[in-house]
C-alpha cells in the first residue's frame, strides 16, 4: 500500500546488508589473494588530498580540529581506487572515534622509496602500546557498540588487506 515507516526500515536494513555483503566478499577476495589490483602510476599526493578534503568538512561539522601535511608530487604505482579506499577508511575511523573537541592529523611523506601515510587522533580509554587487535574483523572500539556509530567493524581489516596487497603494512599505536 505504498511507502510506510515499515517499508523504509526494511529497505534501509536491506541496503545495509547488501553493503556489508559486498565488503565481506571484497575482503575475502583480498585475503585469498584473488583481488585483482589495477596498477597504474598516479599521484598519491593528489588522491590523499582529495579524500581528506571531504573528511575535513565532516570533522569540522563534528567540532573536531583536522589538519593534514601532504608532501606534494609523490608518485605511486598501485591500485588507485584501493589506495583511495584505504585513506577513506583511515579518515572515516578517525572522524567516527575522535571525541568532541578532539584533533585529527594526517601526514603523507616520502623518504627514499618508502611512502608513509600516517594519522593521529585524540582517543579515549585506549591503553598505551601497539593495538593489532584493531585490525581484527568485526572489531569495534568499546565506545562504538552503540548504534549511534555506524559501521560493521571490518574497515580496518580491509585497510590492512589493501596495505598488504601493495607490499605495505598498517599498524596502530597509542
Amino acid at each position: 500500500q505504498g511507502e510506510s515507516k515499515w517499508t523504509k526500515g526494511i529497505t534501509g536494513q536491506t541496503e545495509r546488508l547488501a553493503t556489508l555483503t559486498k565488503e565481506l566478499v571484497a575482503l575475502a577476495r583480498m585475503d585469498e589473494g584473488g583481488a585483482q589490483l589495477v596498477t597504474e602510476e598516479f599521484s598519491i599526493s593528489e588522491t590523499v588530498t582529495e579524500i581528506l578534503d571531504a573528511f575535513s568538512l565532516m570533522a569540522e561539522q563534528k567540532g573536531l580540529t583536522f589538519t593534514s601535511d601532504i608532501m606534494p608530487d609523490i608518485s605511486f604505482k598501485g591500485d588507485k581506487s584501493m589506495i583511495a579506499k584505504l585513506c577513506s577508511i583511515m579518515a572515516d575511523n578517525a572522524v567516527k572515534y575522535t571525541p568532541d573537541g578532539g584533533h585529527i592529523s594526517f601526514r603523507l611523506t616520502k623518504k627514499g622509496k618508502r611512502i608513509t601515510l600516517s594519522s593521529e587522533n585524540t582517543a579515549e580509554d585506549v591503553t598505551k602500546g601497539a593495538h593489532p587487535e584493531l585490525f581484527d574483523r568485526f572489531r569495534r572500539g568499546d565506545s562504538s557498540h552503540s548504534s549511534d556509530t555506524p559501521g560493521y567493524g571490518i574497515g580496518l581489516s580491509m585497510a590492512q588487506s589493501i596495505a598488504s596487497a601493495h607490499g605495505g603494512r598498517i599498524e596502530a599505536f597509542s
Side-chain angles (χ1 to χ4, degrees):
Q1 296 181 350
E3 195 171 289
S4 71
K5 68 179 181 180
W6 303 108
T7 57
K8 283 182 183 178
I10 291 169
T11 301
Q13 290 295 340
T14 303
E15 289 170 0
R16 282 189 280 284
L17 274 174
T19 300
L20 175 60
T21 302
K22 286 178 191 171
E23 289 182 356
L24 284 172
V25 168
L27 185 57
R29 283 190 181 130
M30 280 188 261
D31 286 350
E32 293 170 359
Q36 297 292 330
L37 294 181
V38 180
T39 59
E40 61 181 301
E41 191 84 21
F42 66 96
S43 170
I44 193 169
S45 299
E46 289 177 14
T47 300
V48 168
T49 298
E50 287 172 15
I51 299 296
L52 294 182
D53 283 349
F55 283 96
S56 70
L57 295 173
M58 292 170 63
E60 283 178 33
Q61 289 176 338
K62 198 176 165 189
L64 306 173
T65 305
F66 191 103
T67 60
S68 61
D69 180 14
I70 309 301
M71 185 182 284
D73 304 320
I74 300 176
S75 185
F76 181 74
K77 186 171 184 172
D79 189 316
K80 184 177 179 179
S81 66
M82 291 285 199
I83 296 300
K85 178 77 172 170
L86 169 81
C87 186
S88 292
I89 291 167
M90 290 174 63
D92 184 56
N93 272 283
V95 171
K96 276 184 193 174
Y97 300 114
T98 299
D100 293 342
H103 178 77
I104 300 168
S105 81
F106 275 82
R107 221 171 155 207
L108 179 71
T109 58
K110 182 175 182 178
K111 189 173 186 179
K113 290 185 176 185
R114 175 174 281 194
I115 297 172
T116 304
L117 173 62
S118 61
S119 69
E120 292 184 20
N121 62 284
T122 311
E124 294 177 334
D125 303 323
V126 179
T127 58
K128 291 187 187 248
H131 290 279
E133 73 279 1
L134 294 178
F135 301 99
D136 294 344
R137 273 184 209 165
F138 306 113
R139 167 80 179 170
R140 298 184 71 198
D142 290 337
S143 64
S144 70
H145 288 298
S146 100
S147 60
D148 295 340
T149 305
Y152 308 106
I154 62 170
L156 288 177
S157 181
M158 185 172 280
Q160 184 176 48
S161 292
I162 293 169
S164 293
H166 285 85
R169 65 174 191 213
I170 187 168
E171 300 169 313
F173 297 96
S174 175

